[in-house]
Amino acid sequence: MMKVQGKSPLSARARYTAAAVSALALLGSVPAAHAADPLQPDPELEAVTLSAPKPSWVFVERGFVVPGNSIYDTETGKMLGMVEASTLSDLSIDPAGKAYYVSESIWTKGWRGTRQDMITVYDSATLKLKTEIAIPGRILIGGRKFNFVIADEGKTAYVYNLDPASSVNVVDLAKGKFVKKIELPGCASLMPVTGVGFSALCSDGSLATVKTAAAKPEITRSAPFFSATNDPIFDNFGYDGAKQTAVFLTYTGQVYTAKLGATPTISEPFSIQAAAGVSPADTKPLDVHWYPGARQGLAYHLGTGHAFVLMHTGEYWTHKESGTELWELDVAAKKVVKRIPLEDPASAVAVTQEPNAKLILSGESGTLHILDAKTFEEKFKLEKSAGGVLRTLEP
Amino acid sequence: MKTFNPDAMGEKLLRRFAGGTSRRGILARLGLALVAAPVFPVLPVSRASAAKPDRSPEAKTTFARNAQSKDDTKCDYWRYCAIDGSLCSCCGGGLNRCPPGAEHSPVSWVGTCINPDDGRAYLIAYRDCCGKAYCNKCDCDGTDRETQLYVPQLNNDVIWCFGTTSMEYHCSTAVLVGTA
């Protein structure tokens, strides 16, 4: 039998009214359901932890006034955390990846009271304080890569001190103890020398090498090879700990390479401007040239032996000016292979030591620029993230 | 055997000298020297004044060519050719005085700056004022003959608050020491 759908006994208006009431009831039931199932309070969570430092990370010293070292991953452009540090401190990274070391000075009453100099040790996973190693002094300057360096595969630290006599404090990181102070008159900017101690640049234009093991440290000096007052070498230079080489750049753009050791050898210099096919610079007033400059004007990629140098145009004695171009220099070939104009003039440059290296530039605008070091394509533009010295992980 | 005899040597020298000179001859030579004396300054010998540096515009740095001597709250004031930091002149102090409550560092880095009014070069001691927070006004960074850390007395990034109660950097002064 065929089922015949019968008409509803309700009128059309009544059906509409009933539908509207049902819909309202349904709507009313939504908040009612949520009220029965509120958001749960956040559980008490531990702070985020980090992996061991990666070659893609960059550590940005936040500048003269604002303390701390911000960590960014150049792969993602994200800030990962911050290594605590007081102003005018220096950061070094444990080559084993287990700790961050901060060479710093604090006082018992803020800036008053008793001065305390130390290497503060932070766990690399939690970024929490592990321990402090007291030292008898250190320079207050910041903004330099070579005032606090780690040697002997992480066992030794050298801390430069100026009070205002010049010396180096040797610290045994494995035992967590200050070992000795070595007077180093007229020299600064420390380069660890494997099996020897360290080398440093000197005011007489020489490279001093200090054998640290003996009870009375032995200091020898190379023949003077540069003018410390007329054409100084920038003290943020390139250093390759594995190959034991350094790349030095002077205010006029002369490039020296040094083979470090008990008796270091230093190459004849060449002009970075000549390597780019432009006129070499000099020290004469009114001569306008391309000059190297900025606060941290040279980044050295160890794998390729290429240096990235911040350059600007102007006269001599403009060595702190930010770079308006970045020059890629093949140091061994003595050839500038690329010149990249910078829209945001940069005061510091660093490069990650990866095969797919990234360049990090601190812009005058306060923006941190992260570029692919092969294509120079800008991957990330991080506002309010630039600052002082940039550090990357070096093998 | 022949031995060393200083008396005999002295006598020999004096007798040789006496034999080759006369009192009249000595007087003649002294007279010649007196007559020739006014000519000495024009002879081509090395004199201190010969080392007078070139102060022409062509020999001056960009800073020195554009420096002024009227307003010590501006970065182009001539004494600031190698200063770095906040000018104490803008922070309640002066060109060579600390702001209230700040302490003058007894040591400093130095610069050699040219006064545009007299064209002379002067040694300037950049003495930090210490013991207060960074003033952060009128920040200047003169870089004439400014070098790196291995010549610290010519480096303007170092905190020079040595010998003061506090090493906190507040601002920098430019104290004239004398002609360079």
Side-chain angles (χ1 to χ4, degrees), chain A residues 268-288:
Chain A
E268 285 297 313
F270 65 91
S271 153
I272 190 171
Q273 295 89 348
V278 301
S279 63
D282 54 42
T283 61
K284 289 180 201 154
L286 289 168
D287 277 6
V288 175

Side-chain angles (χ1 to χ4, degrees), chain A residues 1-332:
Chain A
M1 186 173 78
M2 197 172 87
K3 188 178 178 183
V4 178
Q5 193 169 1
K7 276 189 174 182
S8 166
L10 294 172
S11 69
R13 179 176 286 185
R15 279 204 304 276
Y16 291 140
T17 305
V21 168
S22 302
L24 280 173
L26 200 63
L27 280 171
S29 72
V30 173
H34 271 238
D37 187 18
L39 291 173
Q40 295 301 303
D42 285 344
E44 196 65 33
L45 294 171
E46 291 292 315
V48 173
T49 57
L50 290 173
S51 70
K54 292 179 178 172
S56 64
W57 293 6
V58 61
F59 299 77
V60 183
E61 197 177 279
R62 299 209 299 163
F64 182 62
V65 179
V66 190
N69 291 272
S70 301
I71 312 171
Y72 294 91
D73 189 345
T74 60
E75 279 294 323
T76 61
K78 299 287 182 200
M79 181 172 166
L80 302 175
M82 185 187 295
V83 182
E84 175 66 353
S86 52
T87 51
L88 305 171
S89 59
D90 299 299
L91 173 76
S92 267
I93 303 165
D94 169 22
K98 292 184 176 160
Y100 295 113
Y101 298 106
V102 178
S103 167
E104 60 186 343
S105 309
I106 57 173
W107 283 257
T108 52
K109 298 178 180 177
W111 277 93
R112 291 182 285 121
T114 307
R115 175 171 170 166
Q116 298 170 325
D117 298 284
M118 67 196 75
I119 294 174
T120 312
V121 187
Y122 291 97
D123 182 89
S124 66
T126 63
L127 297 187
K128 284 185 176 172
L129 177 71
K130 278 173 86 173
T131 187
E132 296 164 356
I133 307 168
I135 54 172
R138 53 180 291 278
I139 188 172
L140 295 184
I141 185 169
R144 300 290 195 287
K145 279 179 74 182
F146 296 101
N147 284 336
F148 176 43
V149 294
I150 290 182
D152 303 333
E153 296 171 333
K155 294 189 191 76
T156 308
Y158 299 117
V159 185
Y160 181 68
N161 184 25
L162 186 80
D163 59 1
S166 174
S167 62
V168 173
N169 289 321
V170 183
V171 178
D172 185 329
L173 291 173
K175 291 182 183 162
K177 278 188 178 166
F178 164 73
V179 179
K180 62 184 166 187
K181 175 179 175 178
I182 298 174
E183 300 291 341
L184 188 66
C187 307
S189 304
L190 313 175
M191 293 153 259
V193 180
T194 307
V196 175
F198 60 86
S199 279
L201 291 166
C202 301
S203 58
D204 64 354
S206 70
L207 185 71
T209 300
V210 184
K211 289 181 186 169
T212 55
K216 191 176 181 222
E218 185 189 328
I219 304 177
T220 54
R221 293 190 186 214
S222 72
F225 63 97
F226 73 102
S227 170
T229 50
N230 201 39
D231 190 13
I233 286 174
F234 288 100
D235 52 23
N236 277 323
F237 41 78
Y239 169 78
D240 186 334
K243 290 183 192 150
Q244 288 288 283
T245 55
V247 179
F248 300 134
L249 178 67
T250 74
Y251 285 12
T252 62
Q254 294 294 307
V255 181
Y256 295 87
T257 52
K259 177 68 186 163
L260 303 171
T263 310
T265 53
I266 295 133
S267 72
E268 285 297 313
F270 65 91
S271 153
I272 190 171
Q273 295 89 348
V278 301
S279 63
D282 54 42
T283 61
K284 289 180 201 154
L286 289 168
D287 277 6
V288 175
H289 291 282
W290 280 102
Y291 283 97
R295 296 270 172 182
Q296 183 184 2
L298 184 146
Y300 188 49
H301 188 253
L302 311 181
T304 56
H306 284 204
F308 296 88
V309 181
L310 290 171
M311 303 289 293
H312 66 278
T313 52
E315 294 180 49
Y316 196 55
W317 297 119
T318 55
H319 50 278
K320 280 190 182 176
E321 274 193 25
S322 294
T324 54
E325 282 196 7
L326 183 70
W327 291 14
E328 183 182 359
L329 172 70
D330 182 335
V331 177

Side-chain angles (χ1 to χ4, degrees), chain A residues 65 111 115 140-141 144 147 162 186 201 203 226 228 232-235 251 285-286 295 315 317 319-320, chain B residues 58-60 62 65 84 134 141 143 145-151 155-159 162 166-168:
Chain A
V65 179
W111 277 93
R115 175 171 170 166
L140 295 184
I141 185 169
R144 300 290 195 287
N147 284 336
L162 186 80
L201 291 166
S203 58
F226 73 102
I233 286 174
F234 288 100
D235 52 23
Y251 285 12
L286 289 168
R295 296 270 172 182
E315 294 180 49
W317 297 119
H319 50 278
K320 280 190 182 176
Chain B
E58 291 73 24
K60 286 181 182 169
T62 314
R65 287 200 308 276
D84 186 7
Y134 181 41
D141 198 352
T143 52
R145 292 164 285 279
E146 194 265 350
T147 66
Q148 300 288 290
L149 198 45
Y150 43 81
V151 193
N155 180 275
N156 66 15
D157 290 334
V158 175
I159 302 297
F162 296 110
S166 163
M167 286 200 74
E168 187 174 24

